[in-house]
């Protein structure tokens, strides 16, 4: 499974990438929404781990954009400000789930299992639309 990590904090992105590789995933890192859009257009991405607060950019606004795209693309919001307001807003905007920073390897394992299950169920649905890169 290819996971796109969108986080402007290099240490967090690097550690998350290593953790995802430990779980058998491949990881790509984007430090901005622009870089994330480029990777989404050029790579086969199965899911996105998206930080809420990026330098000068809103992860929630990007989430809304991703949710409006056709096809299944699970987006897990990650934030250090994981209050019920942020989680509720993220879900209203189409987030697959929310992950509070700092998160553990077990937290990531749970998310990856849920995403894999979702993608398997979606692929098994004959009428499931295919995602078109933004």
């Amino acid at each position: 499974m290819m996971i796109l990590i969108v986080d402007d904090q290099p240490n967090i992105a690097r550690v998350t990438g290593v953790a995802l590789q430990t779980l058998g995933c491949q990881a790509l890192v984007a430090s901005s929404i622009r870089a994330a859009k480029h990777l989404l257009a050029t790579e086969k991405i199965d899911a996105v781990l998206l930080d809420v607060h990026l330098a000068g950019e809103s992860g929630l606004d990007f989430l809304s954009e991703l949710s409006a795209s056709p096809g299944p693309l699970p987006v897990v919001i990650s934030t250090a400000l994981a209050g019920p307001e942020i989680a509720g807003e993220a879900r209203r905007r189409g987030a697959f789930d929310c992950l509070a920073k700092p998160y553990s390897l077990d937290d990531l394992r749970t998310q990856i299992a849920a995403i894999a299950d979702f993608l398997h169920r979606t692929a098994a649905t004959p009428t499931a639309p295919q995602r078109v890169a933004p």
Side-chain angles (χ1 to χ4, degrees):
M1 181 181 324
M2 179 68 76
I3 309 295
L4 174 58
I5 302 163
V6 185
D7 199 312
D8 60 345
Q9 296 181 359
N11 289 339
I12 292 175
R14 183 177 38 80
V15 170
T16 301
V18 170
L20 289 169
Q21 289 174 350
T22 300
L23 296 172
C25 297
Q26 294 177 305
L28 293 173
V29 175
S31 61
S32 69
I33 290 172
R34 179 178 178 194
K37 287 180 179 182
H38 173 75
L39 288 170
L40 285 163
T42 60
E43 302 289 336
K44 184 191 177 309
I45 305 294
D46 297 304
V48 177
L49 182 59
L50 175 62
D51 190 16
V52 170
H53 297 289
L54 300 163
E57 300 177 297
S58 168
L60 288 175
D61 289 345
F62 187 44
L63 169 63
S64 295
E65 191 176 324
L66 291 172
S67 296
S69 298
L73 180 64
V75 179
V76 175
I77 289 292
S78 67
T79 182
L81 307 171
E85 306 82 29
I86 297 283
E89 182 63 22
R91 286 190 177 88
R92 279 190 289 283
R93 292 184 186 218
F96 181 79
D97 205 349
C98 294
L99 195 55
K101 290 181 183 178
Y103 39 82
S104 68
L105 185 61
D106 284 338
D107 294 332
L108 285 173
R109 181 178 289 114
T110 299
Q111 288 298 322
I112 295 304
I115 290 168
D117 182 59
F118 170 78
L119 292 173
H120 178 74
R121 284 184 285 117
T122 303
T125 305
T127 58
Q130 296 301 309
R131 182 175 66 83
V132 177

